[in-house]
């Protein structure tokens, strides 16, 4: 087509301009612009064509092109009309409302009457920064006789949403209807969003019903706006009822959002899922992932069980759902079921990404299968995946905690050789792991290394991790040094960690000193909780109760961790009635009776020899877990209650049949009751399932050097002199009335001498004997144990403290035991 024909057809030029999309090159626009401004007078002075050209440059957000057209108009003595100004206002709106208002004022000065679109553009430009002025401009438009359309009313509602009450929103909706403008989907979305902003549930339901009465069929955006208010509700039941009774069905995404909020608030998600299916909506893998993750966060074992059965029954698995479900099962100690999910995923040939590999590695590590963990790690690399920070943070600590120091060091070196810079989270995980096994020098080395490599100052969280690690090995001097270096007494996170850590070091007086130094205005729930934890792990139940009451008197509402701490104090001090009273008052503090709190109550009742009460309490719990039944089993073992011990064992194994604690404790119970055949069966079951008890390990500091002992230790350089001294010590203990507690033995020995020899090889006895050899008479002994102290070692340590006139403090996996003059601070409540 020739230029002449194009110039002669204004409609064709306008069509060509309108066909230019913002995504296309501006070259086409420049060519068309050249044709127009260099064309004959009828073309270059055609205001409609020029307005269309300006609009095209506006869509491209090309201000230079707009300025070129305006300059051309000026050169042709063409004055902008209302459409020109409206397009310009829309073009400049992203630069701020001032530019738009300036153009509106210029229009008026030029005696050009703004039309409704012009006003809408001007009003909309004000909403973000000047909503009140937007409302005034709307009223000015109406006063000039310009009738608002639905778009105008929606803009007004947006402005009111920012500055006005819900009553004003309602009034605006009425005005809109009275003026003959019908509310549309956008209208109701804005109104519902305003209700959500202000948390007005009643108004949201009222507006939702109005939309239904007006014949509006809600789309996904409307459902989103309506359900958004659930995020701010403590009890979403009213919104759930509206959804269930709605004649229209929300989308799967809407259902997933509502179900997640229900799960977060402990609502009945299971029946809600049934309602979904009745309405033809089937949960997908993404929804299961969301719900599983939420259930884990809330420790909702009942929901996890239901989702597990659902996922398995319907075979709904993708990478994310598999990751979430395996993670949930691992956290619950359900390793066999976690393995089954992994097998299903492999059979379904699910694409295994890094997060899933990380969970698989955590599965093997948590269940004690070091070979499986290393195999998964190797397979992951063979498949071309590069381990990330979470991978290393999983595998290295698991190796450390399984006593694989050499493997852990090799893995660490492999990470460094691969050019992977450890993140702060990896360092923290390693410090915690090394702290738990007593490698204090390695903890300090890692911390220094982290500080040297970090481009930013060490975070409070890292200082806290270091303090906890040092507390685990009772290195109070190092904690003092950390407090000075970190200026921790002015940092609440570090200060609170130190309160607990000093108690872990058996220096609760230092914990009190820090706590009492906190100004009253700064004593918040976190500070009180830390001090309660410090007292509880010392077994100081009465002091914990007094502090708890002080907290209540100071109008500080306790959180769940604070309740757990004070209940633990009651449990370890035999304060049953006080513990019951606190548990009964949970609702007064707005606290839901969680599984964690229930487990503490089972422990409280069990330690007090109220076994029937403990069993009934566990049975009545909404979501008992492995810990619940292991706690009940431990109490039954201590009180020789075989019936309840067997009951608790079956319950624990039904959740996690690879739980070594369940088999070991049940075996101990059979040994106590002189039931060797049953004990042998337990041992056979453990062997058949390749279940291994974690070996006991004890650490203590002597002359500034950390010494580590394991059961049947042959590696310590002084082991010969330790055993010689232990033989002498054992005879002294027998003379003082000590008798070996053979109930802790899980296997048969050739004779009594072999039994006693094995019991003498427990790590606690080896460590205490070494301390007796290497420290002056009368010097206190402090040691750390990775497991709970066994009945025999506990009794032996009481007698040693008396016959050797030593104060002996042992921090086991549960608490501190302070032995003095033949007695223990726990009062044998352990």
């Amino acid at each position: 087509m020739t230029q002449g024909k194009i110039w002669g057809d204004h409609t064709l030029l306008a069509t060509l301009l309108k066909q230019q999309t913002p995504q296309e090159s501006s070259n086409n626009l420049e060519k068309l612009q050249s044709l127009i401004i260099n064309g004959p007078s009828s073309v270059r002075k055609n205001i409609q064509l020029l307005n269309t050209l300006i609009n095209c440059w506006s869509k491209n957000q090309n201000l230079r092109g707009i300025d070129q057209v305006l300059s051309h108009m000026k050169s042709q003595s063409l004055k902008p009309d209302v459409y020109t100004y409206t397009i310009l206002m829309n073009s400049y709106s992203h630069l701020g409302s001032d530019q738009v208002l300036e153009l509106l004022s210029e229009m008026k000065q030029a005696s050009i009457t703004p039309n409704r679109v012009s006003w809408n553009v001007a009003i909309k430009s004000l909403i973000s920064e000047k909503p009140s002025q937007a409302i005034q401009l709307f009223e000015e438009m109406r006063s000039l006789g310009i009738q608002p359309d639905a778009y105008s009313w929606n803009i007004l509602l947006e402005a009111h949403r920012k500055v006005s009450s819900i009553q004003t929103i309602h009034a605006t909706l009425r005005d809109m209807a009275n003026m003959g403008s019908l509310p549309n989907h956008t209208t109701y979305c804005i109104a519902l969003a305003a209700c959500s902003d202000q948390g007005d549930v009643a108004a949201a339901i009222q507006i939702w019903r109005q939309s239904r009465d007006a014949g509006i069929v809600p789309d996904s955006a409307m459902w989103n706006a309506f359900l958004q208010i659930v995020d701010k509700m403590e009890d979403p039941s009213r919104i759930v009822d509206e959804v269930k009774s709605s004649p229209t069905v929300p989308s799967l995404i809407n259902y997933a959002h509502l179900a997640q909020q229900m799960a977060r608030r402990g609502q009945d998600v299971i029946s809600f899922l049934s309602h979904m299916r009745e309405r033809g909506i089937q949960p997908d893998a993404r929804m299961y992932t969301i719900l599983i993750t939420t259930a884990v966060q809330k420790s909702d074992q009942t929901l996890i069980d239901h989702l597990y059965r659902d996922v398995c029954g319907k075979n709904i698995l993708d990478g994310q759902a598999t990751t979430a479900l395996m993670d949930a099962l691992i956290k619950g100690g359900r390793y066999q079921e976690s393995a089954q999910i992994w097998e299903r995923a492999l059979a379904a040939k699910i694409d295994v990404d890094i997060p899933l590999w990380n969970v698989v590695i955590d599965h093997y590590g948590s269940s004690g299968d070091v070979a499986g963990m290393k195999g998964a790690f190797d397979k992951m690399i063979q498949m071309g995946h590069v381990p990330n920070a979470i991978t290393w943070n999983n595998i290295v600590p698991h190796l450390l905690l399984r006593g694989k120091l050499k493997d852990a060091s090799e893995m660490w070196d492999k990470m460094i050789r691969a050019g992977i810079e450890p993140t702060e989270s990896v360092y923290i995980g390693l410090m915690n792991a090394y702290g738990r096994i007593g490698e204090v020098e390695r903890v300090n080395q890692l911390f220094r290394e982290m500080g040297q490599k970090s481009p930013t100052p060490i975070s409070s969280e890292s200082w806290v991790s270091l303090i906890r690690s040092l507390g685990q090995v009772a290195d109070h001097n190092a904690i003092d040094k950390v407090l000075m270096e970190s200026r921790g007494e002015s940092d609440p996170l570090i200060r609170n960690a130190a309160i607990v850590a000093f108690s872990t070091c058996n220096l609760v007086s230092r914990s009190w000193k820090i706590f009492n130094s906190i100004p009253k205005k700064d004593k918040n729930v976190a500070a009180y909780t830390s001090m309660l934890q410090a007292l509880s792990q010392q077994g100081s139940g009465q002091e914990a109760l007094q502090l708890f009451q002080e907290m209540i008197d100071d109008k500080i509402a306790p959180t769940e961790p604070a309740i757990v701490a004070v209940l633990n104090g009651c449990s370890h001090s035999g304060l049953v009635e006080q513990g019951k009273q606190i548990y009964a008052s949970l609702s007064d503090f707005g606290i839901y009776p969680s599984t964690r709190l229930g487990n503490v109550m089972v422990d409280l009742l069990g330690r007090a020899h109220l076994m029937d009460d403990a069993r009934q309490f566990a049975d009545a719990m909404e979501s008992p877990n492995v810990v619940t039944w292991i706690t009940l089993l431990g109490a039954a073992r201590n009180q020789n209650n075989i019936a309840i011990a067997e009951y608790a064992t079956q319950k624990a194994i039904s959740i996690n049949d690879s739980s070594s604690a369940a088999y070991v404790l049940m075996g101990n119970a059979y040994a106590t009751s002189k039931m060797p055949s049953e004990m042998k069966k337990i041992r056979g079951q453990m062997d058949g399932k390749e279940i291994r008890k974690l070996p006991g390990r004890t650490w203590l500091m002597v002359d500034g050097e950390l010494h580590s002992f394991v059961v049947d230790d042959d590696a310590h350089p002084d082991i010969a002199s330790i055993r010689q001294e232990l033989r002498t010590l054992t005879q002294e203990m027998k003379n003082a009335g000590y008798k070996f507690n053979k109930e802790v033995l899980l296997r048969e020995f050739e004779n009594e001498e072999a039994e006693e020899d094995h019991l003498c090889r427990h790590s606690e006895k080896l460590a205490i004997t070494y301390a007796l050899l290497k420290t002056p008479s009368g010097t206190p002994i402090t040691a750390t144990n990775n497991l709970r102290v066994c009945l025999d070692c506990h009794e032996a340590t009481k007698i040693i403290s008396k016959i050797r006139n030593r104060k002996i403090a042992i921090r086991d996996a549960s608490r501190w035991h302070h032995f003095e003059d033949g007695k223990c601070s726990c009062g044998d409540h352990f």
Side-chain angles (χ1 to χ4, degrees), residues 637 668 671 741-746 759 762 790-792:
R637 183 277 310 264
N668 291 155
N741 187 334
K742 298 174 184 177
E743 297 167 0
V744 300
L745 297 172
L746 266 186
L759 291 172
H762 279 197
C790 80
L791 293 170
D792 181 65

Side-chain angles (χ1 to χ4, degrees), residues 361 373-383 395 411 414:
I361 287 169
M373 179 178 68
K374 293 170 72 175
F377 180 82
D378 292 339
K379 183 72 172 176
M380 169 186 176
I381 293 174
Q382 288 170 13
M383 293 181 67
I395 194 165
M411 195 63 71
K414 185 183 293 186

Side-chain angles (χ1 to χ4, degrees), residues 149-365:
D149 59 5
Y151 184 77
S152 310
W153 286 106
N154 289 344
I155 297 170
L156 178 65
L157 281 171
E158 280 283 14
H160 278 308
R161 176 187 170 189
K162 291 184 175 295
V163 295
S164 304
S165 65
I166 293 298
Q167 287 74 19
T168 305
I169 298 288
H170 279 299
T172 303
L173 289 172
R174 287 194 298 271
D175 286 348
M176 184 178 180
N178 293 336
M179 293 290 291
S181 289
L182 293 176
N184 54 27
H185 284 85
T186 303
T187 310
Y188 286 113
C189 281
I190 297 168
L192 288 168
C195 296
S196 178
D197 293 342
Q198 300 185 32
D200 195 330
V201 178
I205 292 175
Q206 182 181 350
I207 290 172
W208 180 258
R209 291 175 179 174
Q210 283 177 5
S211 71
R212 188 172 59 195
D213 295 342
I216 297 289
V217 178
D219 58 8
S220 181
M222 263 190 73
W223 275 111
N224 287 341
F226 179 53
L227 296 179
Q228 204 64 40
I229 198 169
V230 174
D231 297 357
K232 298 184 177 181
M233 297 174 67
E234 291 186 9
D235 181 0
S237 299
R238 294 173 66 187
I239 300 296
V240 173
D241 291 342
E242 285 295 318
V243 171
K244 288 182 176 180
S245 63
S246 173
T248 58
V249 181
S251 69
L252 178 59
I253 293 175
N254 297 137
Y255 268 123
H257 174 73
L258 183 53
Q260 181 186 31
Q261 297 304 322
M262 292 174 68
R264 285 176 175 170
R265 291 156 180 78
Q267 301 271 313
D268 185 4
V269 177
I270 296 173
S271 63
F272 186 71
L273 292 173
S274 298
H275 158 77
M276 278 180 60
R277 295 188 185 95
E278 289 170 3
R279 304 201 72 176
I281 303 293
Q282 295 295 330
D284 63 358
R286 182 176 180 275
M287 182 172 181
Y288 278 115
T289 301
I290 292 170
L291 290 179
I292 292 165
T293 303
T294 306
V296 171
Q297 293 168 350
K298 299 298 294 182
S299 300
D300 189 340
Q301 197 61 50
T302 301
L303 181 56
I304 290 172
D305 288 344
H306 177 84
L307 297 171
Y308 168 70
R309 290 192 295 271
D310 250 17
V311 168
C312 292
K314 297 176 175 58
N315 204 25
I316 303 173
L317 280 176
D318 64 3
Q320 290 186 329
T322 303
T323 301
L325 188 53
M326 285 188 68
D327 184 55
L329 295 170
I330 291 165
K331 284 182 168 66
R334 300 163 66 173
Y335 305 122
Q336 185 177 25
E337 291 157 302
S338 174
Q340 291 170 357
I341 293 296
W342 175 232
E343 290 169 4
R344 282 173 174 265
L346 292 176
K349 297 183 179 179
I350 287 172
D351 183 28
V352 184
D353 57 9
I354 289 287
L356 181 49
W357 276 117
N358 288 339
V359 169
V360 171
I361 287 169
D362 190 35
H363 156 75
Y364 285 117

Side-chain angles (χ1 to χ4, degrees), residues 678-696:
E678 298 301 323
M679 184 178 71
K680 192 171 183 179
K681 286 180 184 178
I682 286 286
R683 188 70 198 186
Q685 290 174 12
M686 291 180 69
D687 291 340
K689 296 179 180 180
E690 296 184 348
I691 297 171
R692 298 288 180 264
K693 178 185 176 183
L694 187 66

Side-chain angles (χ1 to χ4, degrees), residues 377-438:
F377 180 82
D378 292 339
K379 183 72 172 176
M380 169 186 176
I381 293 174
Q382 288 170 13
M383 293 181 67
H385 295 289
V386 178
N388 60 14
I390 296 173
T391 315
W392 298 107
N393 205 21
N394 272 338
I395 194 165
V396 179
H398 277 312
L399 289 169
L400 289 169
L401 296 176
R402 295 295 167 182
K404 304 293 183 180
L405 298 182
K406 183 179 178 182
D407 289 339
S409 296
E410 289 176 354
M411 195 63 71
W412 174 266
D413 292 340
K414 185 183 293 186
M415 176 180 70
I416 301 301
R417 286 196 303 272
I420 296 170
E421 194 67 34
T423 63
E424 190 169 300
S425 64
V426 174
Y427 276 112
I428 289 173
L430 282 171
M431 286 191 295
N432 286 334
Y434 274 114
R436 286 180 63 183
I437 64 172

Side-chain angles (χ1 to χ4, degrees), residues 686-749:
M686 291 180 69
D687 291 340
K689 296 179 180 180
E690 296 184 348
I691 297 171
R692 298 288 180 264
K693 178 185 176 183
L694 187 66
R697 182 182 289 269
T698 305
W699 305 271
L700 79 167
M701 297 284 289
V702 175
D703 295 330
E705 184 179 350
L706 184 74
H707 294 264
S708 174
F709 298 88
V710 294
V711 63
D712 291 325
D713 203 332
D714 287 318
H716 196 279
D718 294 313
I719 192 64
S721 56
I722 292 171
R723 287 183 177 161
Q724 182 178 346
E725 174 64 16
L726 187 53
R727 283 191 287 271
T728 302
L729 179 62
T730 302
Q731 189 57 53
E732 292 178 25
M733 291 161 59
K734 287 181 176 180
N735 294 340
Y738 168 68
K739 292 182 179 180
F740 284 99
N741 187 334
K742 298 174 184 177
E743 297 167 0
V744 300
L745 297 172
L746 266 186
R747 59 188 177 90
E748 295 179 344
F749 291 84

Side-chain angles (χ1 to χ4, degrees), residues 53 97 101 134 137 239 348 363-364 386 390 464 613 674 792 817:
L53 183 57
S97 58
L101 294 178
L137 206 60
I239 300 296
H363 156 75
Y364 285 117
V386 178
I390 296 173
V464 166
D613 290 351
K674 304 294 189 291
D792 181 65
H817 297 267

